[in-house]
Amino acid sequence: MKKSIFGASAFIASMLAGMAAASADNLTLYCSADEAWCQLMARGFEEETGIKVDMTRKSSGETFAQVKAEAANPKGDIWWGGTGDPHLQAAEEGLTQEYVSPMRDQLHDWAIRQAEASGNKTIGIYSGALGFGYNKDLLAKNNLPAPACWKDLVKPEYKGQIQMANPNSSGTAYTMLATMVQLFGEEEGFQYMKDLHKNINQYTKSGSAPIKAAGLGENTIGIVFMHDSVAQTASGFPVVTVAPCEGTGYEIGSMSIIEGARNLDAAKKFYDWALSADVQSRAKDVKSFQVPSNKSATQSEMAPDLSSIKLIEYDFKKYGSSDERKRLLQKWDEEVSKLPQ
């Protein structure tokens, strides 16, 4: 009898140890980049490490909202991709945790500055400039001039021809809002957003959706990060990418380990892996044309040359702060989105 009890106890202990070991071989990844890139990262890490990856793809704003909603009982382990502003806000609100990767010395200064601004709770993984793209066939069909500047987009001839994402759900669109405030000043920047609102045919949930619609001929002009526009051209669509003449903002796509991650060791392993030159060089394989943060990574010749674009001195610390982001989004909700079109 004692032997039976002992044997059963040993079996249960062995089974529990096996379950614990199995859970250590899992990773829950929240991804805010393009779907194809997210799949590349998830499946690549899975194949190289044997760690099973459960990946969910959502835009930056949606992922931030999910991480915040799950704070009392975190379900995600790591958040990879998407604009840096919500990553910085998550860091400020204690939703992500500090980690200093041994890969850090291989990164560009702008990636490390992102980490320092967050108390090492996030890090830069890529960068890209904001701009817009247009379907040149639709432009010609509608006898419209080619826009070259931000202020071209508020001209009455473009009414109903433009899409951008909703800044509440999309990091791309929040970058657009914060860029206008920094480029023109808050009063003129919000007036610009009100004028632009008259020409918007739809506010999408995803930041890249407006240019994908343009590529398919469902929309004429999409306000997006320039690399997303270039991706449509690379896929064979009649899309022209524009770096606005007045200057523009940019993103530092980021990565963060979620506070209370259940699979912390796996999350750290993914973090280090994702910062390697080899992994970052794979972005071009799925037509993602951002500038990688690892100095030794290679990028496509089609990627926008940031050195040739007039970039503003984007204040990531201010516009990535919780209070400022909430304030701007509330002001956009109250003063812009409710206006008639």
Side-chain angles (χ1 to χ4, degrees), residues 163-167 169-170 172-173 202-207 210 223 332:
Q163 282 185 16
M164 66 171 278
N166 186 311
S169 64
S170 162
T172 304
Q202 182 184 354
Y203 289 106
T204 63
K205 185 177 285 188
S206 164
I223 297 172
W332 185 85

Side-chain angles (χ1 to χ4, degrees), residues 215-338:
L216 293 170
E218 299 167 352
N219 175 54
T220 306
I221 301 169
I223 297 172
V224 291
F225 285 115
M226 291 171 62
H227 49 254
D228 288 327
S229 181
V230 169
Q232 294 301 300
T233 308
S235 296
F237 295 108
V239 168
V240 176
T241 303
V242 179
C245 70
E246 301 95 337
T248 191
Y250 63 103
E251 70 165 332
I252 295 177
S254 298
M255 171 172 59
S256 309
I257 295 176
I258 296 168
E259 178 65 34
R262 298 175 183 181
N263 301 295
L264 182 57
D265 289 343
K268 289 179 178 179
K269 188 174 289 188
F270 180 92
Y271 197 105
D272 298 339
W273 177 82
L275 292 177
S276 68
D278 173 59
V279 171
Q280 292 196 3
S281 297
R282 300 175 195 177
K284 60 183 180 298
D285 298 340
V286 286
K287 295 184 173 64
S288 289
F289 299 111
Q290 290 90 330
V291 176
S293 65
N294 190 302
K295 289 181 281 191
S296 299
T298 58
Q299 63 187 84
S300 168
E301 292 180 358
M302 294 186 69
D305 179 6
L306 296 188
S307 67
S308 68
I309 298 168
K310 187 178 178 182
L311 298 175
I312 65 171
E313 292 187 14
Y314 194 102
D315 190 338
F316 290 98
K317 190 168 183 64
K318 177 178 179 179
Y319 292 96
S321 72
S322 179
D323 288 346
E324 187 66 5
R325 190 168 182 270
K326 287 176 183 176
R327 185 184 73 82
L328 289 181
L329 289 173
Q330 183 177 353
K331 188 170 182 176
W332 185 85
D333 286 338
E334 294 172 352
E335 298 184 12
V336 179
S337 68
K338 294 178 181 178

